[in-house]
Amino acid sequence: MEIAVNRYEQGNFFLAIEPRRCKGCGVCVQSCPQGVLALNGEGKVEAKEIARCVFCGICEQRCPDFAISVYKERIIQPSLV
Amino acid sequence: MPNTKELARHEEVQKRFTGAHALCAGCGIPVCVRTILNVIEEPVVAINATGCLEVATTRYPTTAWNIPWIHVAFENAAAVASGVETAYRVLRRRGRIPKEIRFVAFGGDGGTYDIGLQALSGALERGHRFLYVCYDNEAYMNTGNQRSGATPFAAQTSTAPVGEKSFGKPQRRKDLTEIVAAHHVPYVAQASISDWYDLAVKARKAVSVDGPAFLNVLSTCPRGWGHPTDQSIKIARLGVETCYWPLYEVSEGRWCLNYIPEEKLPITEWLRPQRRFAHLFESGHEALLAQIQRQVDEDWEKLVRRCEDLPPSPFPGGAMEEVWR
């Protein structure tokens, strides 16, 4: 079964939202400093204005259900011991 | 050595605790658990006392954990953690385990403040190297909001109801962080889900000390506290801003405040958005509000004095400083 992932792109960065995981709590909507995210009619999160997104990653860190991921072109890979 | 932000984004550590669990919308527990597990570099073994976290993340046949995970009864998470840690230490001495492993025990406030306190006390006193995390949502939320030792004064719960002759819980909450600090363990800290970086750095410090460490994390509960789900982080933040839940650490016996609000908000800011305190804003309960404010002020002043009397933390600038660079 293919898992639906909504991808919102801006340049080399993108925001991946997995609506299946979202419980619609709205923590990310309240946390977003740029007002990018909003809940849609189904109570799932959507990136309404991706042009304003600064890809800070605060929504990813605060999402209790792991529904949002922020991807950057250059992911820093720390050397794990 | 990666810094905290890089580590939290690393793919290998990000998969330790995943979504698709059954915790309520807006729950603070996954925020706390993912933050702590994300910033530990070494392999982790999780020990979980009974509670919301255990019940909702491991519904048969699914699980939200991608790491070795042990569920134990309410009362003995710390005892099991000490057993696992001892077995690991012996095997490591014999050369059977090549890698360093970290042990993290998770317990709710019921399993830590009340039922698991003696096991926790014993494990701390014996000096096992593990991190105990208490996610404090201030009642037995798993079973339907019964009062616990962590429930604050005058909060409404199902076993401390509000009525003509009662105003919620008549006793004050116990200060577990201070109880644990009295065990003279290397690292004890109080954190909140609202301050991500503070919590992440405290978790890194806690696993880097050689000995037991304890984190007490304020974790909101929209169902039990009665606030909208999207306000979870904001309410935890108000707890910090009103000095109800000060962020501080006790490192090698030195007390250090990590955050001093610029302007201390009145305690009503923290009480008003929560339904469990709604009765305090009806007429006739002004004295209770004044009493709560007085208690918070006294506790805060005591804490500030304590942090001033002693030399500052060995980590300059408190938890907000990266000490591994």
Side-chain angles (χ1 to χ4, degrees):
Chain A
M1 194 179 75
E2 201 166 302
I3 296 164
V5 179
N6 297 337
R7 215 172 126 133
Y8 301 88
E9 291 183 34
Q10 181 202 318
N12 291 321
F13 304 88
F14 69 95
L15 203 66
I17 298 178
E18 229 178 287
R20 200 179 60 137
R21 288 193 165 181
C22 180
K23 287 177 188 151
C25 63
V27 163
C28 54
V29 180
Q30 288 292 321
S31 300
C32 182
Q34 296 289 320
V36 172
L37 302 166
L39 293 182
N40 64 15
E42 293 170 3
K44 305 280 185 184
V45 68
E46 262 183 10
K48 287 271 182 214
E49 294 179 60
I50 192 67
R52 290 227 300 263
C53 184
V54 293
F55 297 92
C56 61
I58 202 161
C59 51
E60 181 184 5
Q61 290 302 330
R62 283 189 174 166
C63 176
D65 296 300
F66 299 73
I68 306 182
S69 309
V70 178
Y71 290 97
K72 300 184 183 181
E73 180 197 28
R74 190 170 55 85
I75 297 173
I76 305 155
Q77 294 283 351
S79 54
L80 286 190
V81 189
Chain B
M1 187 72 95
N3 69 24
T4 306
K5 274 186 183 169
E6 287 166 355
L7 197 56
R9 291 202 48 81
H10 192 265
E11 282 180 5
E12 200 168 307
V13 298
Q14 273 200 323
K15 289 177 191 153
R16 283 177 180 161
F17 180 70
T18 62
H21 49 66
L23 288 159
C24 311
C27 181
I29 301 169
V31 184
C32 157
V33 173
R34 74 179 292 181
T35 305
I36 290 166
L37 290 181
N38 275 10
V39 296
I40 302 173
E41 273 181 84
E42 295 85 359
V44 178
V45 173
I47 294 103
N48 204 174
T50 307
C52 280
L53 179 65
E54 176 267 320
V55 170
T57 55
T58 53
R59 290 173 310 158
Y60 183 80
T62 62
T63 177
W65 301 82
N66 276 332
I67 50 174
W69 177 89
I70 308 163
H71 163 232
V72 282
F74 249 126
E75 64 274 14
N76 52 6
V80 169
S82 47
V84 174
E85 193 265 349
T86 308
Y88 156 75
R89 209 150 23 90
V90 171
L91 288 173
R92 186 147 166 77
R93 199 170 60 223
R94 293 183 188 165
R96 301 267 293 276
I97 296 175
K99 273 188 184 172
E100 286 247 320
I101 300 176
R102 297 283 176 261
F103 301 92
V104 184
F106 291 100
D109 58 293
T112 311
Y113 280 71
D114 298 346
I115 311 173
L117 186 57
Q118 63 92 13
L120 175 65
S121 178
L124 295 171
E125 188 266 330
R126 289 191 299 271
H128 297 283
R129 182 171 182 174
F130 76 111
L131 164 63
Y132 195 102
V133 179
C134 171
Y135 57 88
D136 185 355
N137 48 24
E138 307 200 318
Y140 289 87
M141 297 307 183
N142 175 29
T143 48
N145 199 6
Q146 289 87 6
R147 80 185 271 293
S148 78
T151 308
F153 176 72
Q156 180 182 16
T157 65
S158 57
T159 47
V162 173
E164 261 175 47
K165 292 185 179 170
S166 64
F167 55 86
K169 187 184 167 184
Q171 298 90 6
R172 290 186 60 178
R173 74 199 304 276
K174 52 172 130 164
D175 194 340
L176 184 70
T177 320
E178 262 182 60
I179 296 173
V180 175
H183 287 74
H184 309 295
V185 294
Y187 192 78
V188 181
Q190 195 159 283
S192 157
I193 55 162
S194 59
D195 293 66
W196 177 85
Y197 196 63
D198 181 71
L199 175 58
V201 174
K202 280 175 178 168
R204 288 193 81 179
K205 273 188 199 178
V207 293
S208 70
V209 295
D210 188 13
F214 179 81
L215 280 181
N216 200 0
V217 186
L218 182 69
S219 173
T220 49
C221 176
R223 304 283 302 150
W225 294 13
H227 61 75
T229 54
D230 58 349
Q231 299 296 308
S232 285
I233 305 283
K234 197 182 169 200
I235 289 194
R237 184 85 205 147
L238 284 171
V240 176
E241 294 283 349
T242 53
C243 299
Y244 167 80
W245 190 266
L247 305 179
Y248 66 96
E249 61 183 358
V250 187
S251 170
E252 304 288 354
R254 296 178 194 179
W255 292 63
C256 177
L257 267 178
N258 302 123
Y259 178 72
I260 300 168
E262 271 179 30
E263 190 190 351
K264 190 175 162 210
L265 296 176
I267 193 67
T268 46
E269 297 286 315
W270 148 262
L271 302 174
R272 203 182 295 274
Q274 302 180 43
R275 197 180 54 233
R276 59 177 179 157
F277 294 117
H279 58 283
L280 295 177
F281 294 95
E282 290 162 11
S283 62
H285 282 145
E286 291 81 6
L288 283 176
L289 279 178
Q291 192 181 342
I292 295 172
Q293 181 69 61
R294 203 165 55 241
Q295 285 170 3
V296 170
D297 289 345
E298 276 171 18
D299 288 349
W300 173 250
E301 272 164 35
K302 201 174 94 187
L303 181 66
V304 169
R305 235 179 296 128
R306 203 162 202 175
C307 295
E308 279 171 352
D309 285 352
L310 292 158
S313 159
F315 302 116
M320 301 309 283
E321 197 79 21
E322 286 278 352
V323 292
W324 293 269
R325 289 246 175 108

